[in-house]
Amino acid sequence: MCGIVAYSGKKESVINSLVTGLKRLEYRGYDSAGIAAISSSGIYDKKTVGKVTNLERAVLEDQPVGLNGIGIAHTRWATHGEPTVANAHPHASADGRIWVVHNGIIENYLEIKKNLQKKGIKFTSQTDTEVVAKLIGDLYKGDLRSAVLETVAQLKGAFALCIISKDEPERLIGVKYASPLLVGIGKDELIIASDASAIIERTKKVVYLEDGELVDINKSDYEVVSFQDEAIDKSVEKIDWDVDAASKQGYEHYLLKEIMEQPEAIENSLRGRILLDEADVRFGGLMDVSARLKDINRVVLLGVGTSYYSAKLGELYFNALTSIPATAAMSPEYRYTKNNIDKNTWLIAVSQSGETADTIAAIEEAKRHGALVTGLVNVVGSSISRMTDAGVYNHTGPEISVASTKAFTSQSLLLLMHAILLGRQQGLDFSASKKLIRAVVDLPKSIGEVLKSRDLIEKVASSIRKDNDLFYLGRQYNYPIALEGALKIKELAYIHAEGLSGGELKHGFIALIEPGFTTIAIATDDVVKDKMIANIAEVKARKGRVVAIANEVIKQADATVVVPNIGSDMLQPLVNNIALQLIAYYVAKERKLDIDQPRNLAKSVTVE
Ligand code: F6R
């Protein structure tokens, strides 16, 4: 979604810290950006449409003087109102004395706006955020904190806010409710941000705010209070990754870097969790709920987008390795279906960001029914990691590129390990489990082999760069991979693609096959390979083009990406998917698209 960074510290660092922080957050939203900083003559502000570099250029031209070291900044992903300068944040109170940046959504903004308009207050943007600035201004009687607390009491929805006032030039206030916000504790400086990537260059010490908390910064001191203005004692935590993890490290794009670092990322996901001699796995994060896991009679795997596709793989894993029925559920639909869940249901919420609004709403629904809810989350300290009963972190380091790659591989692998954990409790055979765990341990090496053949994959990708429509076919464990492969090429290369089970093809979809129509068919050696070969023949009979992902050259196909046979039907799809990630990357590159920040997308979708 949008990104917030706010700074209180050295005068000379304010603009640089805000702009660098925004650049780090740009992957969260990139249609406009803005800055407001306290200066000796009041407030300096600048807003621009487009990327943060436009803002940086404009601020450099202005060379603002007299700044005192306190400011707020924002990069936006439009929800209310088009991406224009007027709609960009920060927004100001009617008298221009108070400035606000906001992430999230104010559900009752129209009602508040009408009340303020009745008082004669004029609005200049179409945003929900502007009502917050105007309301704080209306309620302000000389104490910013009181005005903010009175304001948040009237707001409905999700909001992370940072606020400054010309009348209290030493003060910076941050507020969190259902949208993430943290405070970086640096040397002689404090930085508020919606995401740790914005502060990691300056400090690793961090205070995570919880819903209903306000941080009141007075130059170098800070105090956290509840929305009822009661003091809260917060602990300072340490971010366990460093700035390198959030940089491109010589790669042209974050996406390629994140694809290429998967062997290492997966090693990190596995560290300390494999008990090879016992043919078992261990998750420290699930220890506290181990007694409850014994009474589970149903498993629900929840997610949306790429995380839903890993949940679909997880569904297959649980159903194969345990006798407990498992279903994947798509977060946005979850509340609108009859779920029949109770305290014996184990719901695993899968989310890279840990902030996805639909997944959060579904978790709340499951909790209302008493289900055991655990998280499988990449971002440490994120909302989902905090609201679940227990959970497992991916530990794959920050995923900056908007399209998810390494998180998917890690999620799928860790879901397999969740299934092994439950399976072993129910008597999953020792040697079968050991064989599987050995394949898990070997997976990083196998992924590394696919990555080595990326030049060949680039050539195959080149052959589909002009296609407008594609089918991705897979069966059994490769069906979720077909769905994920199709999503990746849609997001990155803007090619319309459908992920299908090979078995679905004849039930309508085949009508679209005509000479030259390309189908990407996953036909690695497994129990459904013959069926996939039959699908390939069906496409060829209609003069379609086929690119196969297989363990050896498929003679019926027009091209084959050969991937290593890793001897595990359950894990082979994760190797196959690497080839699909690279295909999507190279097609997008040939089409000269904005790979790390595709149009209309945002990294974490914190509104429903
Ligand atoms: C796809 C992608 C999205 C996310 C989805 C869920 O590449 O990034 O489909 O997977 O928005 O996000 P998380 O996993 O953060 O809950």
Side-chain angles (χ1 to χ4, degrees), residues 40 48 88 99 554:
S40 46
T48 52
W99 289 73
I554 303 282

Side-chain angles (χ1 to χ4, degrees), residues 460-471:
V460 173
S462 181
S463 72
I464 58 173
R465 71 185 191 283
K466 290 199 176 133
D467 282 308
N468 292 320
D469 300 282
L470 295 171
F471 280 164

Side-chain angles (χ1 to χ4, degrees), residues 304-307 351-354 356 402-404 411 487-488 491 605:
V304 61
T306 288
S307 295
S351 174
Q352 188 288 129
S353 63
T356 301
V402 166
S404 187
Q411 287 165 350
L487 178 63
K488 224 68 320 163
E491 287 177 289
V605 184

Side-chain angles (χ1 to χ4, degrees), residues 373-390:
V373 181
T374 68
L376 175 53
V377 170
N378 193 35
V379 177
V380 176
S382 56
S383 301
I384 293 177
S385 72
R386 286 158 179 270
M387 68 190 292
T388 38
D389 299 313

